[in-house]
């Protein structure tokens, strides 16, 4: 039985899929007012756990507890719609039974998510479908709200509106999301699902990474103790005598259990091996656009101007983040820039010897009925060319965390994050010098997302990134194209936070002077703050190094002080000369590393200050 404070809880929960145990003996719950995130690798069972808590999935073992009279609302990762329904009918079905006739509540909610109620669910875009599903979940005013990747396909204004709604939510909330900024702003508890075990941190996601690192260090120490225990048990059994046969059998079973535990530990969570190769061909000029415009006809006979008189120059090494509301024209802009569609007016010139790769957020290139093997090698055979070298299909898929049993399974059995990993696997098998990534972060787990950022940070080609992920854009983009939705596109230097700051300053300038800043090509901003790969901020790897150096310096300082204190003992040299020599070498090494770390910290700090001052 769950504690009285829990609105929903699981007790000794266990679930298996075939021969695979997803988790066993899980016990945890959510209380009123808790705002929690559920984190973990793709495939560990996060979405399944949310379905169990919502009552949509049965347990093999254990119990689900729900306080009487409690309403649970669940937002799935991939909502399934009745295509014959209108948006209004779909959202209205989420109302509590006692307020089912309150149509005004439905109208108010649709106004919040900016959706017309008379639209059929069929034909909705990914962002519109997500907003409709959100409206249905929120309109019931539930006591428990369970949300699986709620920010997927949403534009940034809607994400910020959702954040405010959830901050004011008084029930119990659990959310799965890859969006760091969203989780940092919202959550106060963290549940980490790792290899069938759930760990709880009574703090929000912003504290998760330091906590997880500490947990991994503790596990490494425990693993070391386990290995030593196995050695002792093996030694005891080898020297045991026949008269202790019965006790030997007990210890043998214990040894087998220890070996099994060690095998599970050695598997670990795994890390995807992402690599992307840059072609050296091509010049400095990548894209030149001059006064490009695009309009589409409306049903009433009029036209809608999507892009108006936009001009820009994209050079090799630029990382352009493209943001804007859903339907504003982000994809249209990208397709014009890479000549997939022609502008109505103006012209686009591409550089020579460009080899581009396109990541499509809709995953339309994936055949759901093909196996992973067939997806990677559609022409047959058991090997593919990976960046100019022959590699076995199974071996390559393992680099992207797919196991042997999955390679013959159809694509439709994969989770959203696994489908994205499969797309990345197919794309990164080829070399390129221009990458277009349309919402690549959707459904990826945090570790794979971190690795993707690191790989893209080292990519020497050009990136066009359409994304709603603020943290992702801050870590990669050197310029932002803001598609406003009224035909204007404004170019800003820096990442997403820089864009927000500059936009706020521009708005203030407009409020004070009554003069609106230039909104077409963004040339004035580009001249004042020229783009380059290192112009806006430190690279991702350098920033991580800078963040980690203070901890390393402190650790090396403590180590040096301990060794100096040990060597200060006058009896150490006479009684333990070998230890004295060992401590002396360790001290010399620690002091050398300390000096190098301090110099590196000063170097990076100086570089960061110069970047902020615009000197680099």
């Amino acid at each position: 039985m769950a504690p009285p404070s829990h609105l929903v809880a699981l007790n000794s929960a266990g679930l298996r899929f075939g021969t695979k145990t997803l988790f066993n003996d899980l016990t945890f719950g959510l209380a009123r007012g808790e705002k929690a995130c559920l984190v973990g690798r793709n495939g560990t069972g996060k979405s399944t756990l949310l379905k169990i808590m919502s009552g949509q999935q049965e347990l093999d073992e254990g119990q689900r507890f729900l306080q009487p009279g409690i309403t649970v609302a669940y937002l799935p990762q991939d909502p399934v719609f009745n295509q014959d329904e209108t948006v209004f009918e779909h959202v209205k079905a989420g109302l509590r039974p006692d307020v089912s006739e309150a149509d005004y509540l439905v109208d108010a909610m649709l106004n919040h998510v900016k959706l017309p109620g008379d639209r059929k669910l069929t034909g909705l875009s990914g962002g519109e479908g997500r907003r409709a599903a959100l409206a249905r979940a929120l309109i019931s005013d539930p006591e428990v709200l369970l949300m699986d990747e709620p920010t997927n396909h949403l534009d940034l204004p809607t994400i910020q509106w959702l954040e405010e709604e959830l901050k004011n939510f008084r029930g119990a909330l659990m959310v799965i999301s890859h969006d760091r900024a969203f989780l940092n702003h919202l959550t106060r508890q963290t549940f980490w699902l790792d290899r069938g075990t759930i760990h709880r941190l009574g703090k929000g996601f912003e504290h998760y990474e330091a906590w997880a690192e500490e947990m991994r260090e503790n596990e490494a120490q425990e693993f070391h103790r386990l290995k030593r225990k196995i050695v002792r048990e093996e030694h005891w059994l080898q020297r045991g005598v026949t008269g202790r046969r019965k006790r030997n059998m007990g210890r043998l079973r214990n040894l087998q259990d220890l070996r099994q535990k060690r095998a599970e530990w050695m598997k670990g969570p795994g890390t995807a091996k992402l690599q992307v190769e840059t072609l050296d061909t091509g010049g400095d000029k990548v894209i030149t656009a001059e006064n490009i415009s695009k309009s589409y006809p409306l049903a009433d006979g009029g036209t809608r101007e999507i892009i108006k008189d936009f001009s820009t120059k994209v050079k090799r090494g630029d990382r352009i983040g493209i943001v804007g509301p859903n339907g504003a024209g982000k994809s249209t802009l990208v397709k014009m820039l890479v000549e997939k569609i022609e502008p109505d007016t103006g012209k686009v010139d591409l550089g020579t010897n460009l080899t581009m790769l396109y990541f499509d957020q809709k995953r339309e290139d994936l055949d759901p009925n093909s196996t992973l093997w067939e997806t990677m090698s559609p022409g047959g055979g058991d090997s593919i060319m990976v960046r100019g070298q022959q590699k076995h299909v199974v071996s390559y898929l393992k680099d992207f965390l797919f196991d042997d049993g999955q390679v013959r399974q159809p694509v439709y059995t994969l989770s959203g994050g696994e489908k994205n990993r499969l797309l990345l696997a197919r794309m990164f098998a080829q070399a390129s010098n221009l990458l277009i990534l349309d919402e690549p972060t959707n459904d990826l787990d945090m570790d794979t997302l971190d690795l993707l950022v690191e790989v893209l940070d080292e990519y020497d080609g050009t990136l066009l990134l359409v994304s709603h992920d603020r943290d992702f854009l801050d870590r990669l983009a050197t310029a932002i194209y803001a598609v406003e939705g009224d035909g204007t596109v404004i170019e800003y230097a820096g990442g997403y936070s820089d864009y927000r700051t500059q936009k706020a300053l521009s708005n203030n300038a407009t409020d004070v002077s009554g003069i609106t800043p230039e909104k077409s090509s963004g040339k004035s901003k580009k001249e004042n703050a020229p783009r380059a790969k290192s112009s806006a901020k430190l690279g991702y790897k350098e920033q991580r190094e800078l963040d980690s150096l203070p901890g390393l310096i402190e650790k090396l300082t403590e180590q040096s002080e301990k060794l100096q204190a040990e060597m200060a003992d006058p009896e150490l040299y006479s009684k333990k000369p070998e230890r004295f020599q060992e401590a002396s070498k360790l001290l010399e090494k620690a002091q050398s590393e300390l000096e190098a770390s301090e110099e590196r910290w000063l170097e990076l700090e100086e570089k960061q200050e110069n970047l902020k001052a615009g000197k680099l």
Side-chain angles (χ1 to χ4, degrees):
M1 183 64 68
S5 60
H6 284 161
L7 300 181
V8 60
L10 300 181
N11 184 34
S12 302
L15 185 69
R16 291 180 297 277
F17 286 146
T19 59
K20 180 182 178 182
T21 298
L22 201 58
F23 46 78
N24 187 45
D25 200 28
L26 288 188
T27 298
F28 72 100
L30 286 176
R32 189 181 301 276
E34 285 192 326
K35 291 181 170 63
C37 58
L38 178 62
V39 300
R41 292 289 181 88
N42 290 141
T44 55
K46 302 189 301 296
S47 294
T48 302
L49 199 56
L50 228 55
K51 289 178 183 177
I52 291 169
M53 294 180 70
S54 69
Q56 297 197 13
Q57 171 88 41
E58 294 293 327
L59 286 166
D60 292 329
E61 300 167 356
Q63 301 87 34
R64 169 182 176 262
F65 167 81
L66 184 68
Q67 277 198 22
I70 294 299
T71 298
V72 177
Y74 167 61
L75 176 73
Q77 185 178 117
D78 295 307
V80 178
F81 297 119
N82 179 349
Q83 300 297 332
D84 294 328
E85 280 187 332
T86 64
V87 172
F88 185 93
E89 290 167 340
H90 177 73
V91 175
K92 185 177 180 178
L95 284 168
R96 292 173 182 256
D98 57 335
V99 291
S100 58
E101 297 305 316
D103 288 0
Y104 70 94
L105 292 175
V106 181
D107 291 332
M109 181 59 70
L110 290 175
N111 184 55
H112 278 307
V113 297
K114 295 180 174 58
L115 280 177
D118 58 354
R119 283 274 303 275
K120 287 284 189 181
L121 292 173
T122 181
L124 291 182
S125 68
E128 290 169 335
R130 175 62 57 171
R131 296 206 303 274
L134 268 173
R136 178 171 174 148
L138 294 173
I139 201 169
S140 64
D141 192 22
E143 285 81 14
V144 176
L145 183 55
L146 308 171
M147 313 184 85
D148 195 347
E149 294 289 0
T151 66
N152 273 4
H153 309 294
L154 294 184
D155 54 34
L156 289 164
T158 308
I159 292 174
Q160 287 159 354
W161 167 80
L162 179 61
E163 277 181 10
E164 292 305 312
E165 287 290 305
L166 296 180
K167 283 178 183 177
N168 296 325
F169 179 64
R170 296 183 179 181
L173 171 70
M174 177 170 275
V175 60
I176 299 170
S177 179
H178 67 276
D179 189 327
R180 276 181 164 79
F182 182 75
L183 295 180
N184 285 342
H185 294 162
L186 188 64
T187 59
R188 297 294 177 268
Q189 290 84 27
T190 303
F191 291 95
W192 178 21
L193 183 59
D194 180 40
R195 286 165 285 170
T197 301
I198 200 157
H199 310 279
R200 183 182 184 278
L201 173 68
K203 298 179 181 179
F205 178 78
E206 60 184 331
H207 302 280
Y208 161 71
E209 290 185 348
W211 171 63
E213 186 62 32
E214 183 180 351
M215 295 275 285
R216 291 188 184 102
E217 289 178 2
N218 292 339
E219 183 182 270
Q221 294 174 7
E222 183 64 26
F223 181 53
H224 179 68
R225 288 192 290 269
L226 176 64
K227 288 195 295 183
R228 292 177 60 185
K229 187 173 182 180
I230 289 174
V231 170
R232 289 197 302 270
E233 289 295 303
E234 288 175 337
H235 180 74
W236 191 92
L237 284 168
Q238 289 167 1
R239 296 176 64 87
V241 297
T242 305
R244 296 185 294 193
R245 185 181 303 276
K246 189 176 291 187
R247 279 191 295 160
N248 280 358
M249 293 305 294
R251 293 192 75 158
L252 180 59
R253 286 191 295 271
N254 181 53
L255 176 60
Q256 290 169 343
D257 290 341
L258 291 172
R259 285 173 173 162
Q260 177 64 29
K261 189 175 180 181
R262 181 187 178 190
E264 291 297 322
W265 257 338
M266 288 180 71
K267 286 179 186 176
T271 302
K273 298 177 182 178
L274 304 186
Q275 287 182 309
V276 59
E277 182 181 354
T278 310
L279 288 174
D280 291 331
T281 56
D284 188 51
K285 187 188 82 169
V286 178
I287 301 169
T288 302
E290 295 182 9
N291 303 114
I292 58 174
S293 299
K294 191 71 179 178
S295 298
Y296 288 110
L298 297 174
D300 61 5
T303 59
R304 181 191 169 199
E305 200 164 33
I306 303 295
I307 305 294
K308 181 175 73 174
D309 294 330
F310 178 64
S311 299
T312 191
K313 291 182 180 179
V314 179
K315 296 181 179 180
R316 185 182 177 102
D318 282 349
R319 289 113 186 281
I320 311 298
I322 301 170
V323 302
N326 286 338
K330 300 187 294 295
S331 296
T332 299
L333 175 61
V334 170
K335 288 175 182 176
M336 282 198 292
L337 290 176
V338 298
E339 294 188 336
K340 285 188 175 290
I341 60 174
E342 289 188 10
D344 295 336
T345 60
K347 65 176 184 177
V348 174
D349 289 324
L350 295 183
T352 57
N353 297 319
L354 285 180
T355 301
M356 71 177 73
L357 297 175
Y358 203 113
F359 180 96
D360 176 21
Q361 64 161 321
K362 296 180 180 178
R363 308 174 188 136
E364 290 177 348
D365 289 341
L366 289 181
D367 180 355
N369 296 310
S370 292
T371 66
L372 277 67
W373 190 307
E374 292 166 343
T375 299
M376 294 304 303
S377 182
D382 59 4
S383 62
I384 56 173
M385 292 298 292
V386 178
R387 298 180 293 277
Q389 294 185 344
Q390 203 83 3
K391 192 159 186 176
H392 196 278
V393 172
V394 177
S395 174
Y396 183 62
L397 285 171
K398 282 182 177 179
D399 289 346
F400 288 80
L401 303 183
F402 295 107
D403 58 42
D404 294 354
Q406 289 180 288
V407 297
R408 297 290 188 184
Q409 291 179 355
V411 169
Y412 70 77
T413 64
L414 300 179
S415 69
E418 289 170 328
K419 288 175 183 174
N420 274 10
R421 284 211 311 270
L422 182 61
L423 273 176
L424 291 172
R426 193 170 67 176
M427 189 170 75
F428 286 175
Q430 308 166 62
S432 68
N433 48 27
L434 174 59
L435 283 179
I436 301 100
L437 303 177
D438 191 355
E439 298 290 3
T441 67
N442 282 350
D443 305 317
L444 291 181
D445 60 62
M446 296 291 183
D447 292 330
T448 306
L449 183 52
D450 280 344
L451 189 55
L452 177 61
V453 170
E454 190 168 332
V455 168
L456 295 178
D457 189 61
E458 294 178 347
Y459 181 64
D460 289 328
T462 305
L463 296 175
L464 298 182
L465 307 167
V466 180
S467 182
H468 66 269
D469 190 319
R470 292 158 287 182
D471 182 75
F472 183 73
L473 292 172
D474 266 339
R475 293 155 81 184
L476 280 175
T478 57
I480 297 290
Y481 291 171
V483 185
E484 300 292 330
D486 60 355
T488 59
V489 181
I490 310 176
E491 183 174 352
Y492 297 86
Y496 179 77
S497 296
D498 302 310
Y499 147 67
R500 293 281 293 176
T501 301
Q502 293 173 63
K503 185 174 183 179
L505 291 172
S506 296
N507 290 340
N508 289 339
T510 302
D511 293 340
V512 173
S513 66
I515 301 172
T516 303
E518 183 181 349
K519 283 191 173 183
S520 59
S521 69
K523 287 181 180 178
S524 61
K525 288 181 172 57
K526 210 160 53 168
E527 288 165 4
N528 292 335
R531 282 189 273 108
K533 183 175 178 179
S534 60
S535 65
K537 55 186 181 298
L538 291 176
Y540 173 61
K541 291 187 75 175
E542 286 185 328
Q543 187 62 55
R544 283 186 63 181
E545 185 182 4
L546 178 60
D547 293 341
S548 66
L549 278 170
L552 177 61
I553 289 170
E554 183 179 353
K555 184 177 179 180
L556 290 169
T557 301
E558 291 177 359
Q559 184 180 350
S560 297
E561 290 174 352
K562 287 180 180 178
L563 288 167
Q564 286 172 340
E566 182 182 4
M567 293 179 67
D569 182 357
E571 296 184 354
L572 180 64
Y573 181 78
S574 58
K575 291 185 176 180
K576 298 179 180 179
E578 292 180 357
R579 173 55 191 165
F580 182 87
Q581 292 294 331
E582 181 186 11
S584 178
K585 290 179 181 178
L586 290 172
L587 177 60
E588 183 180 355
K589 180 182 177 183
Q591 289 178 332
S592 175
E593 291 178 359
L594 177 60
E595 183 179 352
S597 299
E598 288 174 338
E599 287 181 1
R600 180 60 173 161
W601 180 82
L602 289 170
E603 177 187 340
L604 290 174
E605 275 288 319
E606 182 179 2
K607 183 175 180 180
Q608 187 176 60
E609 289 301 315
N610 287 335
L611 287 169
K612 289 179 179 178
K615 296 178 181 178
L616 289 180

